[in-house]
Amino acid sequence: ISAKGVWVAKVNALDFGLSDGVGMEHWVLGAGVPAAALGRLDLVVSNPPYVPTAVLAEIPREVADFEPALALDGGADGNDILRRLLPWTAAALRPGGGFAFELHETCLDAAAELARQAGFHQVRIVDDLAGRPRVLTGVKPV
C-alpha cells in the first residue's frame, strides 16, 4: 500500500546484498501485476495492516510513534486486508509457491483458518525473533 515501505524494503535489500536476486514493486493488493505473471509467482510476502481496531488504543507508544496509521488498522478482527489478499495470492502463486504474511498475534488462528479455506496447505504460524507468534505461512497445492 505504501510506496515509502517499498523504498525501505529496497534499501534493506541493497544493504544486505540481496538487490540482484530480489524484485520489488509497489502494487496495492496485487493491482498492477502483469496478467502474464499470475500463476507464476514463487512467493508473496506482505505486512498488511493487521491490528484489530479495538487494539489500536492499547498499542505501545514505541510502536504507535513510529508506524504510520495506514500500516496498523486491520479492521474489527485484524483480518480485513488478509481476506482481500488471500484470493489474489491463490491466483498469483504457481503450484508449490508460498506466502508469508505478518499478522497480529490475536488474529493468527482465524487467519490460518481463512488460508485453509482459500485452499492453501502447510499453513502454519511462525514466531518472530522475540518468540511471539507473528507470521502466517502457507503453500499453494501442487
Side-chain angles (χ1 to χ4, degrees):
I1 294 175
S2 168
K4 184 177 180 183
V6 174
W7 175 81
V8 170
K10 287 179 179 183
V11 169
N12 286 340
L14 184 63
D15 288 349
F16 287 99
L18 302 171
S19 59
D20 289 339
V22 176
M24 290 176 237
E25 299 291 334
H26 178 218
W27 298 321
V28 177
L29 297 175
V33 174
L38 295 178
R40 300 180 64 197
L41 299 181
D42 294 317
L43 181 65
V44 172
V45 178
S46 181
N47 181 4
Y50 61 76
V51 179
T53 304
V55 175
L56 285 174
E58 304 168 13
I59 288 195
R61 189 144 185 88
E62 64 268 14
V63 173
D65 286 350
F66 295 99
E67 290 286 345
L70 176 67
L72 298 175
D73 194 348
D77 68 353
N79 287 324
D80 281 2
I81 300 297
L82 180 70
R83 283 187 188 82
R84 295 170 51 200
L85 187 57
L86 282 169
W88 181 86
T89 300
L93 288 173
R94 66 167 174 73
F99 71 79
F101 302 141
E102 181 178 359
L103 300 169
H104 193 267
E105 57 208 39
T106 63
C107 306
L108 285 162
D109 290 332
E113 183 56 31
L114 290 169
R116 288 184 194 98
Q117 290 173 6
F120 290 99
H121 294 212
Q122 300 175 31
V123 175
R124 64 189 186 108
I125 297 166
V126 180
D127 289 349
D128 65 13
L129 294 176
R132 295 170 56 185
R134 182 63 65 197
V135 178
L136 182 71
T137 65
V139 175
K140 183 175 178 176
V142 177

